[in-house]
Amino acid sequence: MPVQWFPGHMARAKRRLAGRLPLVDLVLEVADARVPAASRNPDLGSLAKGRRHLLVLNKSDLADPELTRAWLEAFKAQGTAAAAFSALKEGRKKLIKYIRDAAQRPAPRRVGPVRVLVAGIPNVGKSALINRLVGRRSARVGARPGITRGEQWVRVTGDLELLDTPGLLWPKLTGAEVGFKLAAVGAIRTEVLPVEEVAAWLAGKLQALRPESMAAAYDAGGAEPAAVLECVARRRGLYVSGGRLDLERAAIIMLADFQQGKLGRITLEAPGEEGGPA
Ligand SMILES: Nc1nc2c(ncn2[C@@H]2O[C@H](COP(=O)(O)OP(=O)(O)OP(=O)(O)O)[C@@H](O)[C@H]2O)c(=O)[nH]1
Ligand SMILES: [Mg+2]
């Protein structure tokens, strides 16, 4: 696996997150609904021990609704409070209700507002979700000690406060498959993994999951995964000088189409598969 994380950055991010956790009541973990297992960091569980926890499968507008339901069931069976959300398409009321439900769970009633920290790997929509939650009506409630300078608590409702800066985690690359999934949804930059390799992997997945979309978008019906990028290039008229097909641009276009939902609402992993809850 050619992906490397810088140990120094990881350690710093982890320290920073660990320093904030004692200040919060609830950790709202954001993951990508298209890859609900691969986009989580398994260390968060032990880091946030003793805090209440809500897993939000964000970008659910891009995910397969049936598989999202199956994932929510699987997490519930595991004892993990989880909810599906779209920070772009849904309102804050729904999310606030999920947070209230999760915050009230096991702990005894406490005095004062529920304090929430949003955490997750890059690009899952932490900032979009915070913006959605906070909206324009919110008032800053002032810094509290122990937090990096510049961070603020923001009042979401009378009994709910949110730290305005999310806790950043890094993805856990437990195998090539996880790297490809994260690159396909855009959580890992394609500079890290070669774009053509990611697209070739995704082509295999999409031919299995959505052959009809692939046929309609790229005339790729029945094509072997290895030949899909050629179909994309031909359909879009992508050539390099000399008349050869431009497979690199084809790869970039297919990835963008997938990431923008143009091939349909697609989830790349199902519960029970390697890496996910049974
Ligand atoms: N379709 C869709 N796109 C979303 C959703 N939430 C976020 N996005 C998009 O995903 C991209 C990343 O969102 P951010 O909110 O910046 O993600 P982040 O987790 O804060 O990323 P980092 O700050 O890099 O860690 C942006 O282009 C958002 O518009 C969602 O629910 N649905
Ligand atoms: Mg952000």
Side-chain angles (χ1 to χ4, degrees):
M1 195 66 206
V3 179
Q4 287 295 323
W5 305 104
F6 298 108
H9 292 178
M10 278 171 36
R12 211 172 312 130
K14 197 166 167 174
R15 259 200 314 275
R16 221 175 132 172
L17 180 60
R20 294 151 154 183
L21 285 169
L23 304 167
V24 306
D25 305 298
L26 177 83
V27 176
L28 193 166
E29 180 191 3
V30 185
D32 188 315
R34 295 165 298 174
V35 281
S39 61
R40 299 184 73 193
N41 178 314
D43 293 342
L44 184 61
S46 55
L47 273 171
K49 219 177 175 64
R51 312 283 128 205
R52 281 158 280 178
H53 183 204
L54 171 64
L55 171 64
V56 170
L57 302 182
N58 189 41
K59 307 199 185 185
S60 61
D61 55 297
L62 297 172
D64 180 327
E66 243 171 72
L67 279 170
T68 298
R69 265 194 296 279
W71 275 106
L72 292 178
E73 284 294 313
F75 285 123
K76 191 172 153 195
Q78 225 189 14
T80 302
F85 190 64
S86 167
L88 290 198
K89 303 247 158 102
E90 293 185 285
R92 69 206 280 266
K93 274 196 185 143
K94 182 178 167 188
L95 191 55
I96 289 172
K97 184 182 180 320
Y98 290 141
I99 292 173
R100 285 226 178 88
D101 289 349
Q104 273 170 10
R105 275 181 152 205
R109 275 195 86 78
R110 59 184 295 286
V111 184
V114 173
R115 297 198 189 109
V116 181
L117 167 79
V118 169
I121 70 165
N123 207 45
V124 289
K126 299 178 297 300
S127 298
L129 186 142
I130 287 174
N131 289 342
R132 184 52 109 204
L133 208 48
V134 167
R136 288 217 183 86
R137 282 164 297 173
S138 65
R140 306 229 145 187
V141 292
R144 273 178 229 286
I147 305 186
T148 314
R149 215 212 292 263
E151 293 184 347
Q152 300 275 336
W153 290 95
V154 179
R155 183 162 292 140
V156 176
T157 64
D159 58 355
L160 198 66
E161 289 179 10
L162 178 78
L163 197 56
D164 70 354
T165 310
L168 188 64
L169 290 159
W170 53 96
K172 201 101 179 176
L173 299 175
T174 47
E177 188 86 353
V178 173
F180 284 132
K181 286 174 183 173
L182 293 172
V185 299
I188 293 180
R189 289 177 187 285
T190 38
E191 296 99 72
V192 182
L193 278 176
V195 65
E196 283 184 57
E197 263 182 56
V198 175
W201 175 86
L202 184 61
K205 275 285 191 190
L206 296 177
Q207 285 292 66
L209 293 169
R210 285 293 190 288
E212 66 288 355
S213 297
M214 297 298 279
Y218 310 126
D219 300 326
E224 290 294 314
V228 166
L229 288 182
E230 290 171 22
C231 300
V232 177
R234 226 173 274 123
R235 173 70 178 259
R236 300 288 169 102
L238 308 172
Y239 296 94
V240 286
S241 56
R244 272 185 302 113
L245 295 167
D246 189 341
L247 298 182
E248 190 183 343
R249 274 179 66 206
I252 291 167
I253 284 176
M254 198 193 78
L255 276 170
D257 286 350
F258 168 73
Q259 288 175 6
Q260 290 160 19
K262 288 182 183 163
L263 302 172
R265 298 176 66 177
I266 302 170
T267 298
L268 295 177
E269 56 189 3
E273 284 174 6
E274 187 203 354

